[in-house]
Amino acid sequence: MLTYFASLNPAALLRSCPGGIAQGLIWGIMALGVYLTFRMLDVADLTVDGSLATGGAVTIMLVLSGWNNELALVVAFAAGLLAGLVTGLLHTLLGIPAILAGILTQISLYSINLNIMGRANQSVNINKVSFYFTSNAKLLPRTILLAALLCVALIAVLYWYLGTEHGSALRATGINGNMARAQGINTNRMKVIGLALSNGLVALSGGILAQYQSFADVNMGRGAIVIGLAAVIIGEVLGEAIFRKNLSFWLRLLFVVVGSIIYYIVYVFVIWLKFPADDMKLLTAIVVALFLAVPYLKSHAKSSFGNLARRNARKAKEGA
């Protein structure tokens, strides 16, 4: 045991933290997309596992073809919009349950991504192409700054949009679809728009991630929905713990990104502890399960029925 702790190098952990923060910010964009469907539409959209890889594949192939980096990200965002549009149409026009529609689109995107790249993965020679988002240790501060500014800009746009009449209709669709329809809202249209915007953000995140790591892989989005949910739940639990009832909507959006950063800092810490890399998905699932359980456990602890049950149990023990 002493030998194990002696092998851990605190300096190595500190050197890894900037990379964790950069990845947390990049995945935070994906988490904002997951938040749109998970909280606004009350749907866990599994399309994201495919659309994130689509964004990466489109970006890398366009860059290899000589396209401008920024324009490649715009096209990646558009590709994500199309992926979400397909899921939305499968759900609304064909009556397929949202979660199954997402699975169908995700499976389709696997083949589409292979066709886009021509093989399972494609890489870019970083000596010939200069990216704004890079894992180069010397340029990490610039990557963190740009990713943070982009996250703030996206939060501002989402906050503005969801406060408009159109955005309010989307939120109403997720809160109570029957009431929204009674108010004349086309809920099917809102669902399609929400799914499209969500996957557009996810694909944008995938494009930036591909630039950050200088390659795209057909499996790079595997488990993305779990990471997105982890970021959303961690951010909400932390935000409510700090601000309680004063947690405004824009702070919720901000804490989604904060949750993503915390997730990746924990990820870096676990790797530093030399946990097997094969167990990371299991640890992620455990973390998500724990944070998902927190709101329920808190409400159960505060409920009058729960308090009454505990008082009766104490009285029974005292009587015995």
Side-chain angles (χ1 to χ4, degrees), residues 233 237 286-300:
I233 301 303
V237 170
I286 292 172
V287 169
V288 173
L290 289 174
F291 276 93
L292 280 171
V294 168
Y296 170 78
L297 294 175
K298 285 175 64 178
S299 62
H300 184 69

Side-chain angles (χ1 to χ4, degrees), residues 272-292:
W272 177 73
L273 290 175
K274 301 181 180 179
F275 274 60
D278 293 340
D279 294 339
M280 291 308 298
K281 296 295 183 184
L282 173 62
L283 291 171
T284 299
I286 292 172
V287 169
V288 173
L290 289 174
F291 276 93
L292 280 171

